[in-house]
Amino acid sequence: MSADRQVGALRRWAFRPVPVARAARLRAAIYLVTVLDVLFFVTDPIDHGDVPAALYQPLPVRDLLHLPQPSPLYTRVLLVVILVSALVAAAGRFPRVAGWVCALAMLDWVSNGMSYGKVDHDHFALVVALFVLPSVGRAGWSDLRHSEAAGWALRLVQVAVVATYFLSAVAKVREGGWLWGSSATLLWALSRRGAVQPAQWLSTQLLITQLMQWVVFCMELLTPLMLWLRGRALHLVVVFWVLFHASTYALLTIHFLPTAVCLLAFLPLERARLRRRSATSAGVEPAVEEARPVRRARPVGT
């Protein structure tokens, strides 16, 4: 294949047009999770404003962007900026300006939270989504026009999700070797964090926990295939990861909500039927009325 054809194939893959409504619906979900995240899950940046300066070990991205060391006032103002910008962007107002303000503020917030200890990988896809989705501009929930800008944004979110899983497998190999799946890592986690009865039972089952580790490890290694899968096969993989995250939360109270919400980038969200008005006021069946434009749109794989 010639270089021109390779470039053309890459461009068609990266900029494959998708309905604008898909990006609009994903964007709303992303902003909602961002609000929940800073209010209930990643709240330690507020406390970091009050800890000794000696404990601050900034991530490289903070040095690159010259982000300041957090102070009590700084972290509280940053929280307000995230909440306001996320809500404004979620409402569809000033989607580019509000979206990129939220993205920069969230990057500051997350990197702050991870400059005092371990670096979690569950926010990578979320931060990428916050930076790329504003580039779509104004987008309506029922806008079925196909857009390369929307396709490019969703493709980058998909790549970030895949990188989260695949690089997790790479880290396991780097730290524990190719036989990581035969380790007792899950057994150890269940014995420390498992509180519900199924977790307590699993904490005594080495063979079962090793089998579970091998399944997840192999799925992580195979996640790049998600970028080329279509239809039911892709949807089944998404369901697998959703069930995986639900089970880790149920058994270990470890949630991956920032990554899980980004899995929506693989789904045809525009096909979800929304009722704008009741059947009595419209005089027609709402589901049929909403379904017609979707059938006229040309098929989209992802």
Side-chain angles (χ1 to χ4, degrees):
M1 183 182 296
S2 66
D4 290 342
R5 288 186 177 181
Q6 291 176 344
V7 172
L10 178 61
R11 190 186 187 287
R12 287 191 297 273
W13 177 83
F15 293 88
R16 179 176 180 176
V18 302
V20 173
R22 187 180 306 185
R25 299 183 185 194
L26 174 63
R27 197 160 59 184
I30 291 292
Y31 289 127
L32 174 61
V33 168
T34 298
V35 170
L36 295 176
D37 193 57
V38 298
L39 288 179
F40 302 107
F41 303 130
V42 183
T43 59
D44 45 330
I46 292 292
D47 298 328
H48 290 166
D50 301 313
V51 301
L55 298 178
Y56 178 62
Q57 298 180 347
L59 297 180
V61 66
R62 294 189 68 84
D63 288 333
L64 179 65
L65 298 178
H66 303 289
L67 297 175
Q69 181 177 335
S71 66
L73 177 61
Y74 182 89
T75 54
R76 285 159 177 80
V77 171
L78 183 62
L79 176 61
V80 173
V81 170
I82 294 174
L83 293 176
V84 172
S85 60
L87 292 175
V88 170
R93 305 302 298 271
F94 311 107
R96 296 183 190 274
V97 175
W100 280 318
V101 168
C102 182
L104 289 169
M106 192 61 178
L107 176 61
D108 192 349
W109 183 269
V110 171
S111 62
N112 170 7
M114 299 178 188
S115 291
Y116 293 83
K118 71 183 181 72
V119 177
D120 296 322
H121 60 292
D122 61 328
H123 280 72
F124 175 67
L126 179 69
V127 172
V128 170
L130 288 173
F131 271 98
V132 300
L133 287 173
S135 66
V136 180
R138 293 193 178 276
W141 278 40
S142 300
D143 190 346
L144 296 179
R145 293 175 302 162
H146 284 63
S147 163
E148 288 189 347
W152 177 82
L154 266 71
R155 182 66 80 190
L156 287 187
V157 178
Q158 293 174 354
V159 170
V161 171
V162 167
T164 299
Y165 294 122
F166 182 75
L167 294 180
S168 176
V170 172
K172 291 179 177 67
V173 173
R174 183 183 60 197
E175 301 296 332
W178 284 100
L179 294 180
W180 176 88
S182 297
S183 68
T185 300
L186 179 56
L187 200 68
W188 174 76
L190 289 166
S191 63
R192 291 180 66 247
R193 302 180 60 102
V196 296
Q197 189 63 35
Q200 297 173 1
W201 177 79
L202 277 175
S203 65
T204 63
Q205 307 297 317
L206 178 60
L207 292 180
I208 295 179
T209 54
Q210 287 182 346
L211 176 61
M212 294 169 65
Q213 287 181 171
W214 274 113
V215 170
V216 173
F217 178 59
C218 291
M219 288 296 291
E220 287 177 334
L221 287 176
L222 294 173
T223 47
L225 295 178
M226 293 178 69
L227 299 173
W228 286 274
L229 289 177
R230 296 287 183 270
R232 182 173 298 179
L234 177 61
H235 298 165
L236 288 175
V237 175
V238 171
V239 169
F240 170 85
W241 286 117
V242 171
L243 293 177
F244 166 73
H245 293 309
S247 64
T248 56
Y249 182 77
L251 296 173
L252 303 172
T253 63
I254 297 176
H255 81 87
F256 257 68
L257 184 58
T259 300
V261 71
C262 292
L263 286 167
L264 294 174
F266 291 95
L267 302 179
L269 302 179
E270 73 282 356
R271 297 179 186 175
R273 297 172 183 174
L274 302 177
R275 296 193 176 191
R276 293 182 178 179
R277 48 188 175 173
S278 65
T280 56
S281 63
V284 296
E285 181 66 28
V288 174
E289 184 183 33
E290 290 293 318
R292 286 174 183 167
V294 176
R295 286 199 299 267
R296 287 202 299 266
R298 58 192 176 92
V300 178
T302 58

